[in-house]
Amino acid sequence: MSQFKIETKCIQSGYTPKNGEPRVLPIYQSTTYKYDSSEHLGDLFDLKAPGHMYSRISNPTVACVEEKIADLEGGTGAVLCSSGQTANLLAILNITGAGQNIVSMSSIYGGTINLFAVSLKKIGIEVRFATPDMTDEQVHALFDDNTRLFFGETIANPALNVLDFDRYAAIAHAHGVPFFVDNTFATPILCRPFEHGADIVIHSTTKYMDGHAQVVGGVVVDGGKFDWTAGNKYPELTTPDESYHGVVYTKDFGVENAFFTKLRVQLIRDFGTPLAPLPAYLLNLGLETLALRMERHCENAMKVAEFLEANDMVTWVNYPMLPSNSEYPLAQKYLPKGACGVISFGVKGGRQAAVKFMDSLRLAAIVVHVADARTSVLHPASTTHRQLTDEQLVDAGISADLVRLSVGIENADDIIADLAQALEKARG
Ligand SMILES: *Cc1c(COP(=O)(O)O)cnc(C)c1O
């Protein structure tokens, strides 16, 4: 499908029915597969033949959606997982173990910060945080011989920093480690990180990809370009895996397929965190309209950001597409089609006024979720990021008065009218 434009891929990639087969991707609601011989099944267990063994590892419905996402991102393969958290966790564990470390941007999703600073630490993986204001020298100093990868988010949730791909790809590659990018907020419609030096892309598909707030899921996409064999730095990919009779991922599957293959057949097998066929089917429905929806999210968010910037009850507005924004130059470079539907802003009167504003909304709802079809609001300091210390909040780019607004795909005039009346009610 790679000759088609991305709007076409959203609809057509991943599933191509043969003569007389269902036009729409079927839900293969089966844990189990049937074989004509034990020998064939033996070959599957040794990874000598392609095919499905058991739906903890792979399933035909899930496989079609994985292929679509890999095609949308321009990668060699993808593995769907039970959540975005699982996707980030398994992507890291695929090449990182106890006693090793990773370097990550500090302005990332709160759940990922918890994973990094608490749970990975417990299993002996250290995460070193790079703040956006660090010099190149300071970032370089975070790396050592045990550093396995560099991690960042294309559009940070909720600080909305835009990742400086050229800068961090150069830093990561100077240390011989892959550049991991969580592309959840941008989606492959607005940014394709592999075109800007990323090696592995991760998504919480729960957000715009599903787009309807229906299914929790995640995906790891392999760019296929990182050379895992260089310098013998990644023996987990270049030496025999005894749990598959000595398979060597880079040799038996090719360097370009090694990472995602190992993640599936070893980590998903052992940790047991696949996406099930029905959620994969629902995710695929969301993906079919992804290009259309992202266009409307961006268009609406721009109108809302301009309205907020002109409103005297709003102290500040953070949206990367506003020329006044510090991220504007990076957004122009990496997000030419728009910066998604998420905006953050401060309400005049601080925390109390912000709460009054949120409680006065009629159309926009208070929800934990972001990035779906319905307009919603959240106060991160008292909810998603409440586990963070004040210092971590500052590093993550979050202030106490910050309202995170996820602009939906309703009519922009209706969204703006709702915000206007609620801001009026918040006036002291
Ligand atoms: C939501 C989110 C996650 C976690 O994904 P879940 O599907 O909720 O587990 C990871 N990264 C980013 C940027 C997110 O927005």
Side-chain angles (χ1 to χ4, degrees), residues 272-294:
T273 53
L275 193 69
L278 179 59
Y281 169 85
L282 291 170
L283 169 59
N284 186 54
L285 281 186
L287 289 170
E288 290 191 356
T289 57
L290 183 65
L292 265 180
R293 287 186 289 105
M294 291 317 290

Side-chain angles (χ1 to χ4, degrees), residues 82-88 108-112 151 153 155-157 182-185 202-207 215-218 369-371 404:
S82 54
S83 69
Q85 288 295 106
T86 313
N88 273 325
I108 52 174
Y109 173 63
T112 309
F151 183 94
E153 291 179 5
I155 306 175
N157 174 9
D182 181 331
N183 197 35
T184 297
F185 269 18
I202 302 122
H203 287 272
S204 165
T205 62
T206 320
K207 312 294 164 54
V215 276
V216 173
H369 200 241
V370 284
R404 185 180 70 184

